[in-house]
Amino acid sequence: MKTFFLCAGIILTILVLTTSVIAETNIGGYINTDNRYRPEGNDKYTWNENRLGLKITASADGVSGFSELRFRNFGFPDIQQTGQLRDSDYIQPWRFELYEAYVDIYGLLFENLDIRVGKQRIAWGTADKLNVVDNLNPDDFEDILDFSQKLPTMSLRLDYYPGDFIVTGVIIPTFTPTRSMPSSWQAPVSFPLPPELSLRTLDDEVILPENRPQDSAILGLRIKRTLLDYDWSLSYVYGRDEWALPTKAEMIVVDTLDVADVHLTLEYPRLQIIGADMAGTIGDVGIWAEGAVFLPEKKIYTSITSPDETQEQLALDDKPYLKYVVGGDYTFKNGIYVNGQYLHGFYTDRGVDNMEDYFLIAFEKKFFHEDLKTRIVMAAEVADFDDIENRSAYFGGPELTYYPKDNVELAAGSFLLAGDSSTQFGQFKENDEIYFKVKYSF
């Protein structure tokens, strides 16, 4: 399968290059390495990635195309048997990703109508990475240190320009689930058993929506305009929860000592999202705000089957719940840049009573003709304002970036965590990491 995608990528590149007779073609990209080490706990390396990213653009009269190909040597040797020592995929794991590939057609049918079709990232919102209205592409949590990433999806996007407005319509025909965190960043799956039972094994089954329009399609609509020097937009998404919910739990007693196996079934419920965002400046201070109301289509219950009975437990109420973020940034005369945000409702939060609050602030300062940049990020998670001491967590860390040559970055830093184990980030307080990255762009 990897060979197929590699060949497809090469063929696509050749096709783009050979059509350069009639289209202006540009090729750029980057090479980067990313290595991380966890000094606590098992004391080991946690991330080993070497990536070549190729970005290809081609444009002709009224048409343009873009593609980003990613070739990744990612992970560590995974040898369990001697036979695997003959397989390069086990010795040096690698993967090929067609990150984006789309075509833009300008002025299709009408002079003020553009379309973009293909695998693409559609980013909505004005906040700095913590976008609560950005709900068309699924979350990509492969790299927890960069949790704002999204997975591009096959989409049809139409931009219509009536006067001062921009009206955007999006159709995503098939549902794509969120890419989850690495295993070392996942909390162990647990399930409350009756006191008379003890758990032996727990497994699960994820059920995706049927591949048909009425089940898998995601629809979006946004209206945007600039008014009084501020950018405003309203948006609507008819989609699905990006994180699967347990809808069934089957407990099977396997012996006379009341030892049980549990099998979970998880699904992605329908929901609608109404959002609004704005951005502008007050003097020299940049400001932004976003809000989104999530409307679950119906109550979701977990059907729990035990040896004695079947009962239902509410997994998600159908009451609307709100997420929002406000923030701003400013550069002082001495060159110190400050960026602060307050977020109510993290990506994984759902339900009226399960919204947590986050406070994030970052400081940056450049030295030596901007050849050296220092940055520190500090963040706090508050799960319960009435019990901050026991229901909060803290994370962030310093980073030093050096630019020795044009388009070359060398970065070193750390990601540190602390707090109560009952919070989303506090449960990983043993996962402090140190990283070193090099990136060359061309």
Side-chain angles (χ1 to χ4, degrees), residues 324 342-345 355-359 380-392 394 423:
Y324 56 87
Y342 163 61
L343 170 69
H344 179 73
M355 294 294 110
E356 297 191 348
D357 296 276
Y358 293 80
F359 301 86
E381 170 195 359
V382 180
D384 184 353
F385 279 106
D386 294 328
D387 189 13
I388 291 179
E389 183 178 357
N390 296 311
R391 298 281 290 136
S392 61
Y394 309 91
T423 58

Side-chain angles (χ1 to χ4, degrees), residues 111-220:
E111 184 177 350
N112 50 356
L113 176 65
D114 301 334
I115 75 163
R116 173 174 292 178
V117 61
K119 191 181 184 197
Q120 56 187 289
R121 169 77 172 96
I122 303 171
W124 285 358
T126 54
D128 185 6
K129 298 184 178 181
L130 303 172
N131 304 103
V132 299
V133 302
D134 189 8
N135 296 296
L136 288 169
N137 298 114
D139 296 329
D140 182 359
F141 273 28
E142 181 187 53
D143 183 0
I144 192 65
L145 271 58
D146 193 6
F147 48 71
S148 62
Q149 292 297 305
K150 298 276 188 174
L151 292 171
T153 52
M154 163 60 200
S155 312
L156 171 63
R157 168 179 169 173
L158 300 97
D159 289 309
Y160 181 59
Y161 307 93
D164 296 329
F165 291 87
I166 303 175
V167 181
T168 300
V170 177
I171 301 173
I172 303 175
T174 57
F175 174 78
T176 302
T178 288
R179 180 151 60 181
S180 191
M181 290 83 79
S183 57
S184 63
W185 287 94
Q186 287 184 341
V189 177
S190 61
F191 185 81
L193 287 174
E196 66 273 16
L197 298 180
S198 58
L199 180 65
R200 187 181 71 167
T201 64
L202 187 149
D203 62 13
D204 58 57
E205 175 187 14
V206 176
I207 298 179
L208 296 176
E210 292 284 344
N211 271 327
R212 53 183 185 176
Q214 60 268 43
D215 289 325
S216 63
I218 309 296
L219 307 175

Side-chain angles (χ1 to χ4, degrees), residues 354-367:
N354 299 309
M355 294 294 110
E356 297 191 348
D357 296 276
Y358 293 80
F359 301 86
L360 299 96
I361 188 165
F363 297 92
E364 286 183 13
K365 171 70 174 173
K366 295 180 179 177
F367 301 92

